[in-house]
Amino acid sequence: MAKKTKDDLEDVSLLKFALVSQLKRTYKASEVDVIMFAGADGRIYASYIPESIGPKIFELTNLISHNLLHVSQQLAMGLRRSVIEYDFGTVIFSSVGKGALLISLFTGKADLSEDMNKIEVARQVVQHIFEQRPMTNDQLSNYSDEVASELRELSKIVFNEMYTQSSEYKKNMEILADIKEKITGVMGRGEVEQVLAMAFNEIASSPKWMTEDLWPLLLEMIIRDQIRPLHGDYVADMCEAEWIPDIKHKLESFV
């Protein structure tokens, strides 16, 4: 099996991240108010919706749901793009392969001539990602310079996310294993999972999503709520004096 490189977008677990990242980039580069990647059956594969949207967007969304089947049938027959203008906005449907659409919503007046080009670039990028094509030079040579450049930039973003996630995950798993050993030494191996489950539930987090600030807090809670009542102040004070600085040091020195 060939080794994956930063130019590969073959990891399905990052597919949605890549799609959303591209939609977000298109939103920032154009006047589009909401942009979605959807199936012809109405399922939303990915979307970028800003935190604050006006009431017009809901009217457009309702119209989309009514027109989606008709537009999908037209696109399936060979129509590449459909632009529908309403009194309160414009919707652009762009074909993305078979059975998928890029839907761009504009609630105000926009320079569609400029935005259409940006949406077309996004359409080609989204189709490339969705079909999980390789990011080789041969593949990129089939696109315009603008599309190829956008794909390369997106590839860097996805690679950085892969690196960050894997690094954080590795760190958290090592810290978790160390904490389990610490608890085992005091409470026994049979109590470890229950103790941790209660603590993670209390701070509303899980090992994968822990941060450097949360790990010491987790230990403090375990010592206060579970070790001190069962094993007394002397043991709890010893754990607190040794465990907290040790975990903080490991978090700071982790590479």
Side-chain angles (χ1 to χ4, degrees):
M1 182 179 293
K3 182 178 180 182
K4 291 183 185 291
T5 68
K6 71 177 182 179
D7 291 329
D8 291 325
L9 289 180
E10 297 176 356
D11 190 341
V12 178
S13 66
L14 287 171
L15 177 60
K16 186 169 183 178
F17 173 79
L19 290 170
V20 173
S21 295
Q22 181 56 43
L23 297 183
K24 184 176 181 180
R25 286 175 59 79
T26 305
Y27 168 82
K28 289 183 175 180
S30 67
E31 296 174 282
V32 67
D33 291 299
V34 170
I35 185 165
M36 298 180 289
F37 177 47
D41 57 1
R43 286 184 299 171
I44 305 298
Y45 299 134
S47 65
Y48 186 74
I49 303 173
E51 293 182 2
S52 58
I53 54 176
K56 290 181 180 180
I57 206 70
F58 296 106
E59 298 179 59
L60 283 171
T61 303
N62 289 332
L63 288 170
I64 285 173
S65 63
H66 292 303
N67 290 331
L68 188 57
L69 179 59
H70 175 66
V71 172
S72 298
Q73 290 173 341
Q74 289 184 309
L75 292 172
M77 294 170 62
L79 182 68
R80 293 181 61 85
R81 181 186 300 124
S82 176
V83 180
I84 304 178
E85 296 184 7
Y86 302 96
D87 290 338
F88 44 78
T90 302
V91 181
I92 301 176
F93 297 92
S94 306
S95 176
V96 183
K98 292 184 178 180
L101 304 163
L102 183 66
I103 305 172
S104 308
L105 291 78
F106 298 83
T107 59
K109 292 183 178 180
D111 181 5
L112 292 183
S113 60
E114 183 176 341
D115 285 319
M116 289 285 257
N117 179 62
K118 294 174 182 177
I119 289 171
E120 174 58 21
V121 170
R123 184 197 69 78
Q124 294 185 55
V125 171
V126 167
Q127 183 167 348
H128 187 102
I129 299 167
F130 189 60
E131 294 177 353
Q132 298 184 57
R133 301 180 197 169
M135 296 287 288
T136 61
N137 289 330
D138 287 342
Q139 285 282 330
L140 296 184
S141 66
N142 296 320
Y143 297 112
S144 67
D145 291 343
E146 195 172 5
V147 173
S149 176
E150 188 68 15
L151 280 165
R152 289 191 182 96
E153 184 62 31
L154 187 64
S155 181
K156 292 177 183 178
I157 292 171
V158 173
F159 172 71
N160 289 337
E161 178 70 10
M162 288 173 63
Y163 175 81
T164 301
Q165 284 188 352
S166 61
S167 176
E168 288 296 311
Y169 183 80
K170 181 180 178 182
K171 176 181 70 176
N172 281 341
M173 292 305 101
E174 289 190 13
I175 295 297
L176 178 64
D178 186 62
I179 288 177
K180 284 184 177 181
E181 288 302 314
K182 284 176 165 55
I183 297 172
T184 298
V186 175
M187 305 187 73
R189 194 164 298 278
E191 301 293 324
V192 172
E193 296 303 327
Q194 183 178 352
V195 167
L196 285 170
M198 291 174 63
F200 281 122
N201 183 63
E202 190 169 343
I203 63 171
S205 187
S206 64
K208 182 178 180 179
W209 304 112
M210 292 292 282
T211 63
E212 291 188 6
D213 293 331
L214 286 177
W215 281 118
L217 177 62
L218 183 86
L219 275 180
E220 290 171 1
M221 289 168 51
I222 290 172
I223 294 168
R224 182 192 68 217
D225 299 338
Q226 302 187 59
I227 293 178
R228 192 174 296 278
L230 292 174
H231 299 277
D233 291 338
Y234 178 79
V235 173
D237 289 343
M238 289 289 291
C239 292
E240 193 169 22
E242 295 176 6
W243 292 4
I244 306 299
D246 183 54
I247 287 298
K248 287 183 176 179
H249 174 71
K250 288 176 178 176
L251 285 166
E252 292 172 354
S253 61
F254 187 90
V255 178

